[in-house]
Amino acid sequence: MKKKAVKIILLLSLLIQLTGCYDYKEPDEIAYIVAVGVDKGDTQNAYNFTIQFARPSKITGGGGEEGASGEETTGIVNVDAPSLYTAINLANHVVSKKFTLSHTKVIVLSDDLCKESITPMIDSIGRSSDIRPSVYICVANGKAYDYLKAVKPSIEINPVKYYQLILESDYTSYIPVNDAQEIYFNFKNNLKQNVLPLVGASEGTQKEEGQKQGESGGGEGASGGSSGSGQSGSGGDMSTMGQDSSTQGGGQSGGSEASGMESSQKEKNIPENDEGFEYRMKEYIAGNLDIKKQNAGETIGGAVFKKDKMIGQITGIEAEIYNILCGKFNEGYAVMSSSKVPDGVITIRLEQKERPRTDVDIEDEKIIVRTRIYMEGDFISTPQDSVIEEDILSFEEESEKYIKDALMKFLKKTQEEFNSDIIGYGNYAKRVFLTDKSFYEFGWNDKYNTAEFDIDVEFNIRRTGLISKKTEGK
Amino acid sequence: MKLKSKFMINKKELCCILVNLMTVKLFFTYPRNIVINAGNAAWIQTIYVSLLAVAAYFITIRVYEKAGMKSILDISEEVGKKPLKIIVGLILIIIFTANVTVTMRSFPESVKNTLLPLTPMEVITTMLAAAIAVAAFAGIFSLSRIHSIYIPFAGIILVILLIMLTPYMNIVNIAPLFGKGTYNILLSGLEGLSIFSDILVLFVLIPFCKSFNEVKKGGGYAVIISAVVSCVLVFFYNMIYANPVAQEFIFPVYQMTRLIRIGEFFQRLDAFFEFIWSIAMMLYAGVYLYVICYIFKSVFNLKYTKELIIPFVIIISCISFIPSSIVDLLRSGTILYRISIPFCILLPVGLAVLYRIKGHKNV
Amino acid sequence: MKLFDAIKRLCVFSIPKSSNEFVLEKSQSNIEYDVRAEKVEKPEKVFKTYDENLKYIEKRFSYPQNNDFVIRKLKLFKDTKAFLIFFDGMVGSDIVDLAIIKPLLEIPQISERADKNEILEKVIAHDQATYQDKFENVIDDVNFGSCALFVDGIDAAFSLDVRNWGHRPIEKPEMEQSLYGPKEAFSEMLRNNSALVRKILKTEKLICEGTVVGKVSKTRGVIMYISDIANSELVDEVRNRINAITTDYVFAIEEISLLLEEKTYMITSQILGTERPDRVARALSEGRVALIINGSPKALIFPTNAFELMHSASDAYLRYPYANMTRVLRLLAMFITLLLPAFYLAITLYHQEMIPTYLAYSISAARENVPFPSVIELLIMNFSFELIREAGIRMPSPIGSTLGIVGGLILGQAAVSAKIVSPLMIIIIAITGIGSFATSDYSLGWSYRMIRFIFIILAGFSGFYGIALGVFLYAVLLGAQKSFGVPFLSPIASDKKGNIGHSLFVSPIWKNEKRPDFLSDKDIDNQPKISRKWKINKKK
């Protein structure tokens, strides 16, 4: 009996030898893709893929020589192929190691592509188990290849950490927040339309050779920033997923002048906002910033979709408004104007304490959307001769009016110009109906532009920093 | 090998075995089928089905009490002599074999999809078959003890998983409230009972347990716990994914675990949860294999069980290769569940009622 | 001249000297007295006359050949001849001189018709004295260190227990050290060992049943149990199994444990052995049975289960939070030493998406120039670590510890600089090795090493799936195990409340109200419900 058992065990162990290890992949036989860019190709159905992969030994500083000269920390391969995985297949013939998409951080789509349709990309993102659900998808103003080539971060050594920090942190408010997996779901559910962040490469900004340190203030595309006040709203925080951070929000105090930078920029005609909310801030869109920086990539603003086509763009400030309406605004610095100080601006630090409460009422084909927004703020800087702290209540009321005006203007724009429900009020409208069938018969998307909005803003000032001015003699 | 009755299956072990049998299939495609059927109201359907199942269980066990510690085969022998025993035994073998072959195919499919994309199916299935053959050799008592250690641990991990998923829940995904309509929920929703069809194993395992009280309590806890787990899981699935998308995912729970993200470090933990679930699956298949061999032995009055294990494992593995793609597999799974639900719910009750009637006649 | 002789030997031929070549070829079978045979053909009873006894004894013991066998001829009262036999070196010569020979030579007159009882009770001045009718018993006793007295005219011999050979004193335990609690350990004398236990449990119900194991070595042992607590069926089973061991020699108690275990090829050890008397006493008070034999400083405890192998003696003497922390640490150490290399292999080779991106880059960069695949690298480092550890055991202590440090550090550092292994591997192996030291049972540490090897192979073959298979198989095989009728995993499998506290974690001492249920004791209650009466307000 024992001999029989021994024989069987030996036979079985022989069998295992026949199979081998299939999925065995040594960690140094794999090339990790950092970013993928998709452009329209020359022929009808082909796309042009840009694959940016990491060179780990340069990144970690081990093995090989360090220093700026020589190879860089990432490499780029550009192929034409009908789909993403065939592109990777082709690229495997160029680069010796096998590509894997499991550590991809960002996927950039060019705007020409988005104006046609993004269905093939979205499908493979939903279906493949390789791509992380937290990958960020962005739209490039221009070609994606230009953007990927232009990104040269000024603090980090490699773009990997750059993408990650910019897209994850939550101190950028000029970039629309969008969870990556939401893109696929919104696309399928067809109730809330997507807004993807915009990235772009600015022209004419040169990077100094051999200078890898980021200077403070220099840097990554600043989001509009607070011209005039010390802080720029939202630094590079990208908790908003799906944002392309080609431009990081400034986030550095003290302006964005870097020493020793050459910038020969064209004159950019950027309109300035003169509403009460975000008074005197420029309305930036990626690719069109007038910030002097080392990194040529920039991220600000968003691209609006309807179903699977891109139909328009929104600027940085409008993206901020979008964040507030969706309830995903984290923190940022904003400027308000006040009637008491016509020439000056008041900087406050905005936070959204609660998600907005929305109710949708539908009576006989008439849609009324009621939203209640809760914002809080702290004073950061006030103009010289004013004593705003004495009369906070009136300032709050005025600010509420300014904010409400800005929100209404934006919502009207979504109705008239875009005609797509990007805030996602359709989700709330579902509550009115009892079954799926009746909701589909109602046809929300067609009736969106007849909706009426009733916005209520609650804005409170809580703190004033370390100083609380008083008028003399009282 | 007859153990003293002290070391037979007690309440906790029985509860853990049945909870494993009933909930481990949840992680396949069950939420998807429910959502296809009922839309956004999948959670309502699950609650409805669970209440039905709990009620059915308590009625069954009440009627069964007269029979005491006899398994369903012994009862059928007393009611209808040999022919009925053979018929009932064969029905049981067919149902259980079908169940375990669907599992033996789905589980390696999910492993291949998620953990090991390139390894051929045969290798994965062979390793699984060898493991459950060894488990069946070790006996049902060893399996029950492992269950009572492992299932609470897996339950804690499931709770942690659900807690980590709460940031992604969105109450608007539940609306509209009644989904695809009440007909879909109530009538064709009876398909949801497929989760509870494994309760039939309880009635076969009765001779191995300590006393009827333990059986009653163990089974009751098990049905309630698995009802709660299934409701909670489907509810979470509904809250996270809205209707048209939710009908598409093949492995819903795996898809949910892919969402978990805590900072930069804890990402893509789905392989770890697959690992935890794999052990539960192997326990499931091991119990079923032992039960099949035991039924075969009882039906034909054979002396030894251990020699039956290897032939059955080979038969099951070969049958599991019949569906040619995963789409076929999903379809055949649905058909199987539709056929087996009436048997699993009605067979024990029917036989117990017959036993009572016969008992009355004799006395 | 030596050089000249050497050259001469080299160059000139000389007849080679014949050396004695001895080959052990012929087998003999002239056994005179086969002590293993059941029936012996020799006179059973002691002879009555002096000469016959003397001749028989000389022949039996091969008297002049056996150098340490002493026959002392005496003349008692009225010139009655007597002789005393014993083995030199095994008896205490002081006692023999003072307590036996001296009184025998000075005894007063007694009647001629004195029978053996009278002599025994009146004359012999020694504390352990019996008379034996049969030669076998006398010879057994003399073999074990008694001395025997043959008196002319009496058909019995008196055997007097004067055992006193050189032995190790009672020292601290070597393997199971603890900072708290008593620090005595068993030594090699049977009576000392049983006394050590009995002085802890001072009850007359503590029974030490004698057994003899081994036909030739006739090793004496005692089976200890408390008859009011332990289940009598368990005691019967233990007794039957030990008596059924049929072998010639038993040298140490480890051999008995090897003969008693149920599955030889199973990787986990199945019998618990300890060298601390307080642990034995605790086990006996729970209703278990212990075995101690002469010549081994270790006691075996039956039955056992999987969790007891992980307990250490000091768990009972530490405070509740600290004891639990130690247990948790030991549990973590067990998981680390079993599964860490396997998980590392599975994650870096099969499931790279689980690693944070920076760790993936640094692993990839660190492995740039390493020639071996990961599995081979891990096995090489594992093997060299085991080599260092084995070498450290055999060395005398100052060199041994230095060797471990030197070997580990320098070898690892040099291997990394030479780019044979990657630095992360060294860390993994070091943590694994340290984890395996944290177990308190030596044989359990060995089982971890073997199981770790199997897990490495499985993980290298199929990642997480292989590890799941390995865990499942091991758990199932462990669950089927039984130890003296008690399932190996019983404490956690049953649903009685008291048991989980005993197994994985320590429960506070005032909560141990019932004895473990799986032992089926006669008396289940250990403590009353309130064992700290000082906490209650006394009603005045």
Side-chain angles (χ1 to χ4, degrees):
Chain A
M1 184 56 203
K2 205 180 83 157
K3 277 197 196 154
K4 208 161 64 166
V6 168
K7 281 185 198 156
I8 292 181
I9 289 176
L10 283 176
L11 279 177
L12 283 178
S13 57
L14 277 181
L15 276 181
I16 290 188
Q17 252 72 283
L18 287 174
T19 59
C21 324
Y22 287 92
D23 273 302
Y24 188 104
K25 267 261 154 279
E26 288 282 343
D28 56 337
E29 290 172 10
I30 300 182
Y32 299 103
I33 296 185
V34 174
V36 174
V38 186
D39 293 314
K40 261 178 70 86
D42 300 324
T43 63
Q44 171 67 15
N45 276 330
Y47 304 101
N48 183 290
F49 289 93
T50 313
I51 297 176
Q52 188 180 31
F53 56 91
R55 296 199 172 98
S57 39
K58 292 290 176 300
I59 293 179
T60 57
E65 63 236 33
E66 310 184 2
S69 62
E71 291 175 340
E72 306 192 343
T73 54
T74 56
I76 291 193
V77 172
N78 196 326
V79 289
D80 273 329
S83 78
L84 176 62
Y85 279 91
T86 43
I88 294 182
N89 206 8
L90 272 178
N92 276 336
H93 291 79
V94 173
V95 175
S96 56
K97 302 188 179 178
K98 179 174 177 187
F99 279 121
T100 175
L101 278 171
S102 52
H103 286 274
T104 309
K105 296 283 175 225
V106 66
I107 296 182
V108 185
L109 311 168
S110 80
D111 54 354
D112 304 332
L113 181 65
C114 293
K115 284 185 182 138
E116 281 193 1
S117 165
I118 57 168
T119 322
M121 295 305 306
I122 298 295
D123 190 75
S124 53
I125 288 172
R127 201 180 285 262
S128 99
S129 65
D130 234 5
I131 303 183
R132 288 183 190 223
S134 59
V135 70
Y136 307 113
I137 306 187
C138 328
V139 176
N141 220 350
K143 284 182 97 54
Y145 176 65
D146 293 334
Y147 170 67
L148 285 178
K149 258 198 109 56
V151 167
K152 301 229 180 314
S154 46
I155 298 187
E156 293 96 7
I157 301 181
N158 55 330
V160 180
K161 199 134 197 177
Y162 171 82
Y163 293 132
Q164 196 170 298
L165 285 178
I166 280 210
L167 298 172
E168 265 187 22
S169 39
D170 38 14
Y171 38 85
T172 40
S173 59
Y174 290 137
I175 304 174
V177 179
N178 207 347
D179 280 333
Q181 51 262 13
E182 275 191 28
I183 295 176
Y184 178 66
F185 306 149
N186 295 339
F187 171 64
K188 284 297 281 190
N189 294 342
N190 205 14
L191 278 181
K192 172 175 156 96
Q193 310 298 336
N194 288 322
V195 175
L196 297 178
L198 264 185
V199 299
S202 70
E203 305 140 8
T205 311
Q206 298 171 10
K207 172 189 180 294
E208 296 217 355
E209 289 296 310
Q211 208 172 3
K212 285 237 166 112
Q213 324 297 332
E215 281 112 44
S216 69
E220 328 321 340
S223 32
S226 7
S227 50
S229 59
Q231 293 86 355
S232 6
S234 46
D237 244 327
M238 309 292 173
S239 51
T240 66
M241 320 253 262
Q243 294 186 348
D244 268 346
S245 25
S246 33
T247 46
Q248 286 145 336
Q252 301 101 353
S253 55
S256 17
E257 302 294 325
S259 54
M261 294 261 280
E262 296 284 320
S263 66
S264 53
Q265 299 173 353
K266 300 187 232 172
E267 270 304 312
K268 297 193 181 162
N269 215 357
I270 306 174
E272 208 178 82
N273 181 27
D274 55 357
E275 305 273 323
F277 177 63
E278 300 282 9
Y279 189 52
R280 290 210 196 140
M281 296 260 284
K282 297 194 182 165
E283 312 217 359
Y284 289 111
I285 285 194
N288 201 16
L289 294 174
D290 62 352
I291 301 174
K292 300 182 180 57
K293 52 192 175 3
Q294 264 184 319
N295 186 9
E298 30 190 63
T299 313
I300 275 201
V304 177
F305 280 75
K306 183 173 170 122
K307 231 174 172 314
D308 58 340
K309 293 192 179 28
M310 175 170 120
I311 48 176
Q313 297 181 348
I314 53 177
T315 67
I317 299 177
E318 286 170 344
E320 188 177 14
I321 296 175
Y322 168 77
N323 281 344
I324 293 177
L325 282 173
C326 280
K328 294 195 177 140
F329 182 84
N330 272 318
E331 64 162 293
Y333 298 98
V335 289
M336 310 288 288
S337 76
S338 165
S339 57
K340 294 205 178 130
V341 269
D343 266 342
V345 292
I346 303 167
T347 317
I348 47 179
R349 185 172 149 269
L350 271 184
E351 268 181 32
Q352 189 173 30
K353 272 301 180 185
E354 283 182 38
R355 301 182 67 176
R357 307 223 180 124
T358 319
D359 275 317
V360 176
D361 282 333
I362 301 184
E363 304 157 3
D364 310 323
E365 314 273 319
K366 196 158 114 83
I367 307 175
I368 304 180
V369 177
R370 294 198 181 87
T371 314
R372 203 178 161 83
I373 313 259
Y374 303 92
M375 307 287 290
E376 284 193 359
D378 304 339
F379 277 132
I380 297 290
S381 86
T382 58
Q384 180 64 23
D385 294 330
S386 68
V387 190
I388 296 278
E389 292 98 323
E390 302 257 303
D391 200 359
I392 289 189
L393 284 178
S394 67
F395 175 69
E396 285 178 4
E397 279 180 25
E398 212 180 353
S399 306
E400 283 176 8
K401 183 169 152 314
Y402 288 146
I403 298 178
K404 184 171 166 183
D405 288 342
L407 295 178
M408 281 299 282
K409 185 171 156 202
F410 179 68
L411 284 173
K412 285 279 177 260
K413 186 172 175 183
T414 68
Q415 276 186 318
E416 286 150 19
E417 199 176 315
F418 298 140
N419 196 14
S420 74
D421 175 17
I422 53 179
I423 316 286
Y425 290 126
N427 281 326
Y428 296 95
K430 273 201 295 190
R431 279 185 184 166
V432 182
F433 299 90
L434 273 190
T435 62
D436 276 346
K437 216 156 141 250
S438 46
F439 182 64
Y440 287 136
E441 280 165 10
F442 179 72
W444 169 263
N445 281 330
D446 302 323
K447 301 210 167 72
Y448 176 67
N449 52 0
T450 63
E452 288 178 20
F453 294 102
D454 176 14
I455 303 183
D456 203 3
V457 176
E458 217 182 83
F459 177 66
N460 293 316
I461 296 279
R462 299 287 185 200
R463 279 154 280 269
T464 63
L466 288 176
I467 306 176
S468 177
K469 293 194 215 165
K470 273 185 90 58
T471 52
E472 294 287 312
K474 282 216 182 129
Chain B
M1 163 187 70
K2 193 91 172 91
L3 285 183
K4 294 196 167 66
S5 83
K6 183 180 198 136
F7 295 121
M8 294 183 123
I9 304 183
N10 61 10
K11 191 169 58 175
K12 178 179 173 198
E13 296 173 0
L14 189 65
C15 175
C16 289
I17 291 183
L18 288 172
V19 166
N20 188 25
L21 294 184
M22 289 197 264
T23 55
V24 81
K25 288 203 309 260
L26 276 178
F27 299 88
F28 278 143
T29 61
Y30 178 76
R32 172 183 188 221
N33 293 337
I34 304 288
V35 170
I36 290 181
N37 190 30
N40 284 328
W43 58 291
I44 299 180
Q45 176 178 344
T46 321
I47 293 181
Y48 162 70
V49 157
S50 310
L51 289 174
L52 277 184
V54 169
Y57 171 75
F58 278 109
I59 296 176
T60 310
I61 207 78
R62 203 57 196 284
V63 174
Y64 209 90
E65 203 156 354
K66 184 121 180 294
M69 293 291 286
K70 301 203 182 70
S71 82
I72 203 173
L73 291 170
D74 299 333
I75 289 187
S76 59
E77 183 164 15
E78 296 202 7
V79 168
K81 302 291 178 304
K82 269 300 199 127
L84 187 60
K85 179 179 183 183
I86 294 185
I87 294 177
V88 168
L90 283 178
I91 292 179
L92 285 177
I93 290 181
I94 292 177
I95 292 181
F96 288 156
T97 313
N99 231 345
V100 80
T101 44
V102 167
T103 309
M104 285 279 284
R105 181 57 194 266
S106 318
F107 173 56
E109 286 279 347
S110 84
V111 164
K112 190 158 158 70
N113 229 342
T114 62
L115 291 180
L116 302 169
L118 291 177
T119 318
M121 276 296 276
E122 292 91 5
V123 172
I124 303 181
T125 313
T126 312
M127 290 162 72
L128 182 65
I132 63 176
V134 170
F137 265 113
I140 187 76
F141 297 110
S142 150
L143 279 172
S144 69
R145 272 171 231 136
I146 300 293
H147 270 106
S148 89
I149 298 179
Y150 187 71
I151 300 298
F153 171 68
I156 293 178
I157 301 238
L158 183 66
V159 167
I160 294 179
L161 165 71
L162 292 176
I163 290 177
M164 287 208 275
L165 279 176
T166 40
Y168 303 100
M169 297 199 334
N170 203 352
I171 192 79
V172 298
N173 285 332
I174 293 282
L177 198 58
F178 281 112
K180 293 199 176 173
T182 47
Y183 172 79
N184 269 9
I185 299 179
L186 293 180
L187 282 180
S188 52
L190 284 177
E191 278 180 16
L193 279 174
S194 63
I195 279 291
F196 297 100
S197 59
D198 296 296
I199 199 73
L200 200 51
V201 174
L202 166 68
F203 298 104
V204 175
L205 281 181
I206 288 187
F208 293 105
C209 305
K210 262 196 208 172
S211 70
F212 195 73
N213 204 17
E214 308 259 328
V215 170
K216 204 161 75 158
K217 285 211 172 129
Y221 283 145
V223 172
I224 293 178
I225 291 179
S226 46
V228 166
V229 168
S230 69
C231 291
V232 166
L233 259 179
V234 173
F235 181 66
F236 267 74
Y237 186 57
N238 259 145
M239 289 272 268
I240 296 181
Y241 295 114
N243 189 20
V245 171
Q247 293 181 8
E248 292 184 356
F249 294 124
I250 298 185
F251 300 111
V253 182
Y254 171 71
Q255 194 72 18
M256 288 203 289
T257 59
R258 267 161 66 95
L259 292 177
I260 294 179
R261 189 166 181 233
I262 304 180
E264 242 336 278
F265 189 68
F266 286 109
Q267 278 193 29
R268 294 296 301 270
L269 287 179
D270 37 296
F272 180 67
F273 289 111
E274 277 279 323
F275 167 68
I276 300 284
W277 180 47
S278 303
I279 302 184
M281 273 312 300
M282 292 176 207
L283 287 170
Y284 174 94
V287 169
Y288 259 100
L289 184 63
Y290 183 84
V291 165
I292 291 176
C293 296
Y294 173 71
I295 296 178
F296 199 80
K297 161 185 174 267
S298 308
V299 164
F300 298 108
N301 274 337
L302 302 172
K303 258 170 91 178
Y304 305 106
T305 336
K306 291 201 173 172
E307 272 69 17
L308 286 172
I309 292 179
I310 294 192
F312 266 111
V313 144
I314 296 180
I315 292 178
I316 289 174
S317 312
C318 292
I319 296 181
S320 75
F321 283 118
I322 291 183
S324 60
S325 77
I326 199 165
V327 184
D328 276 342
L329 176 67
L330 294 175
R331 213 176 292 149
S332 58
T334 322
I335 296 177
L336 160 76
Y337 291 140
R338 279 201 191 132
I339 296 180
S340 73
I341 289 174
F343 281 112
C344 300
I345 308 293
L346 298 177
L347 195 62
V349 187
L351 280 176
V353 166
L354 284 177
Y355 183 77
R356 277 193 113 137
I357 296 177
K358 195 163 162 76
H360 277 249
K361 268 201 230 160
N362 279 351
V363 169
Chain C
M1 286 294 112
K2 284 193 189 153
L3 187 59
F4 182 67
D5 284 336
I7 297 178
K8 189 168 143 201
R9 236 180 303 144
L10 270 178
C11 307
V12 175
F13 171 76
S14 57
I15 301 175
K17 300 192 181 115
S18 61
S19 57
N20 181 22
E21 296 211 11
F22 169 69
V23 174
L24 192 62
E25 249 182 343
K26 286 192 235 170
S27 55
Q28 303 169 327
S29 55
N30 52 347
I31 308 176
E32 271 190 47
Y33 300 105
D34 187 1
V35 296
R36 293 164 292 178
E38 291 297 329
K39 290 198 178 11
V40 279
E41 285 193 13
K42 40 181 163 305
E44 293 186 353
K45 290 201 166 235
V46 180
F47 298 122
K48 226 175 174 164
T49 58
Y50 172 88
D51 292 318
E52 286 176 7
N53 280 335
L54 188 60
K55 206 167 60 160
Y56 182 74
I57 289 289
E58 280 182 358
K59 181 158 170 264
R60 188 75 190 270
F61 277 94
S62 325
Y63 171 49
Q65 254 182 338
N66 216 345
N67 200 2
D68 52 353
F69 186 69
V70 173
I71 301 185
R72 170 74 159 92
K73 300 189 174 110
L74 303 168
K75 270 211 177 136
L76 299 181
F77 50 92
K78 289 206 177 156
D79 290 341
T80 319
K81 286 206 240 172
F83 67 90
L84 200 62
I85 58 172
F86 57 89
F87 271 111
D88 185 20
M90 282 182 79
V91 300
S93 29
D94 291 343
I95 307 178
V96 171
D97 292 343
L98 291 173
I100 298 183
I101 298 186
K102 186 160 184 284
L104 280 179
L105 292 179
E106 291 175 355
I107 45 177
Q109 301 234 343
I110 61 175
S111 66
E112 285 202 13
R113 291 261 167 208
D115 62 348
K116 39 199 183 210
N117 273 333
E118 214 178 285
I119 297 186
L120 189 63
E121 287 169 6
K122 279 195 191 169
V123 171
I124 298 192
H126 184 66
D127 58 347
Q128 292 196 35
T130 55
Y131 63 85
Q132 307 280 5
D133 276 349
K134 302 197 179 7
F135 260 120
E136 287 311 306
N137 300 338
V138 178
I139 293 179
D140 279 347
D141 282 344
V142 172
N143 277 338
F144 201 38
S146 312
C147 69
L149 176 70
F150 287 86
V151 180
D152 190 17
I154 298 181
D155 60 347
F158 301 97
S159 79
L160 315 154
D161 186 359
V162 287
R163 208 174 304 152
N164 189 12
W165 53 73
H167 59 86
R168 196 166 57 101
I170 293 184
E171 295 170 344
K172 281 197 194 174
E174 275 190 15
M175 300 290 300
E176 300 177 40
Q177 299 180 0
S178 85
L179 293 174
Y180 285 11
K183 292 192 182 52
E184 287 173 332
F186 288 133
S187 67
E188 276 85 1
M189 288 278 283
L190 177 63
R191 286 291 168 243
N192 281 350
N193 292 346
S194 59
L196 278 173
V197 176
R198 201 178 267 281
K199 77 169 163 50
I200 300 179
L201 295 169
K202 297 175 266 298
T203 165
E204 69 274 10
K205 297 293 184 184
L206 169 65
I207 302 196
C208 299
E209 272 185 31
T211 78
V212 176
V213 186
K215 290 269 171 65
V216 175
S217 67
K218 294 210 174 110
T219 321
R220 291 198 195 172
V222 283
I223 303 178
M224 307 179 76
Y225 57 94
I226 300 186
S227 63
D228 268 356
I229 300 179
N231 199 339
S232 45
E233 290 189 20
L234 176 67
V235 180
D236 290 340
E237 176 71 18
V238 173
R239 194 185 304 128
N240 291 340
R241 283 202 199 184
I242 294 182
N243 288 340
I245 295 181
T246 342
T247 172
D248 282 348
Y249 303 94
V250 164
F251 296 117
I253 205 170
E254 281 81 5
E255 296 189 3
I256 295 190
S257 82
L258 291 175
L259 285 167
L260 280 178
E261 67 178 5
E262 310 206 3
K263 287 205 167 89
T264 321
Y265 296 105
M266 173 93 173
I267 297 185
T268 330
S269 54
Q270 296 142 42
I271 294 205
L272 181 66
T274 173
E275 55 179 6
R276 295 178 63 118
D278 54 322
R279 216 165 155 200
V280 173
R282 184 183 306 277
L284 289 181
S285 75
E286 285 179 353
R288 297 177 208 255
V289 178
L291 172 73
I292 308 180
I293 69 168
N294 198 356
S296 292
K298 202 166 163 194
L300 295 180
I301 301 182
F302 320 108
T304 183
N305 52 56
F307 302 97
E308 309 244 326
L309 294 171
M310 272 180 29
H311 294 178
S312 94
S314 65
D315 285 344
Y317 303 123
L318 282 177
R319 287 189 70 221
Y320 172 67
Y322 315 149
N324 272 329
M325 180 84 179
T326 332
R327 289 252 172 120
V328 165
L329 270 179
R330 234 177 281 136
L331 204 62
L332 267 182
M334 179 181 94
F335 279 120
I336 287 180
T337 187
L338 280 180
L339 291 176
L340 184 67
F343 269 122
Y344 170 74
L345 276 184
I347 291 182
T348 55
L349 296 176
Y350 287 89
H351 311 290
Q352 288 92 3
E353 67 261 8
M354 268 182 79
I355 322 178
T357 317
Y358 284 95
L359 195 55
Y361 290 160
S362 74
I363 293 180
S364 179
R367 283 192 59 83
E368 272 293 316
N369 299 320
V370 173
F372 302 111
S374 288
V375 182
I376 306 288
E377 194 186 332
L378 193 64
L379 286 175
I380 290 179
M381 288 312 297
N382 212 0
F383 183 59
S384 44
F385 194 85
E386 297 291 329
L387 270 182
I388 294 176
R389 183 198 252 187
E390 273 299 309
I393 293 183
R394 316 269 170 238
M395 293 276 175
S397 33
I399 311 183
S401 51
T402 339
L403 183 67
I405 300 175
V406 161
L409 276 180
I410 296 191
L411 205 62
Q413 188 59 36
V416 168
S417 318
K419 293 210 194 296
I420 300 185
V421 296
S422 63
L424 196 53
M425 195 66 67
I426 306 284
I427 301 177
I428 301 267
I429 291 291
I431 296 181
T432 313
I434 292 177
S436 76
F437 280 122
T439 57
S440 52
D441 201 32
Y442 182 62
S443 61
L444 204 61
W446 268 108
S447 85
Y448 288 162
R449 283 183 239 179
M450 298 191 59
I451 297 176
R452 186 197 316 155
F453 177 69
I454 295 181
F455 271 120
I456 291 179
I457 300 284
L458 275 176
F461 179 60
S462 49
F464 268 141
Y465 184 63
I467 301 181
L469 267 177
V471 169
F472 172 68
L473 279 176
Y474 183 56
V476 162
L477 287 176
L478 205 61
Q481 184 76 337
K482 278 199 310 163
S483 159
F484 279 90
V486 174
F488 214 53
L489 287 180
S490 40
I492 221 175
S494 78
D495 52 357
K496 298 268 188 314
K497 271 199 301 198
N499 289 336
I500 299 222
H502 286 250
S503 55
L504 266 185
F505 297 110
V506 176
S507 53
I509 193 170
W510 39 268
K511 268 200 175 177
N512 292 342
E513 284 149 17
K514 298 208 182 291
R515 297 204 167 90
D517 169 65
F518 50 86
L519 291 173
S520 307
D521 298 332
K522 288 182 188 171
D523 178 15
I524 263 277
D525 290 316
N526 196 10
Q527 293 170 357
K529 198 134 171 32
I530 299 182
S531 51
R532 295 181 294 174
K533 294 242 159 74
W534 52 268
K535 275 214 162 202
I536 311 176
N537 242 340
K538 290 206 178 106
K539 296 202 174 83
K540 301 234 162 97

